[in-house]
Amino acid sequence: MAVLVTLWSKKPGEIKRFLERYYQKNIEMDDDVEQWIYVYNKPLNAVDIMSAVMDNNDKYQISMCIQLDKGDVHPVTVENHNDIIKGIFDLFYEETTEILY
């Protein structure tokens, strides 16, 4: 199962500016890009960028939504992002138990 993360912004260069800060490198992207989509085939990897967007919502004018496989699209907001992240962990985190002797 995959998680599709979509970021969008009407502010020119905003997505590029955020992604360059997030990845800490230059990103080849036009300033007029209003939407960025990435498919995370390892769903837990999507949590980092979701948290980064929400933690920096005062610095960037970016909206976000997620979609699990071909299911419904869910907006991610300041109010619901903790519940969404918890849900992703509940669905995809598998704890391994090791017996140490």
Side-chain angles (χ1 to χ4, degrees), residues 2-36:
V3 173
L4 184 132
V5 174
T6 304
L7 306 180
W8 71 92
S9 178
K10 293 291 185 186
K11 184 175 178 182
E14 192 76 340
I15 292 175
K16 179 180 180 179
R17 192 167 68 91
F18 170 77
L19 292 174
E20 286 181 338
R21 182 83 166 162
Y22 178 75
Y23 288 114
Q24 297 181 355
K25 65 180 186 178
N26 289 332
I27 302 289
E28 292 290 326
M29 179 184 292
D30 292 336
D31 283 337
D32 63 348
V33 171
E34 294 181 352
Q35 185 177 36
W36 177 85

Side-chain angles (χ1 to χ4, degrees), residues 62-73:
I62 294 177
S63 299
M64 176 174 42
C65 64
I66 65 163
Q67 182 178 13
L68 299 176
D69 278 335
K70 295 183 182 195
D72 294 335
V73 174

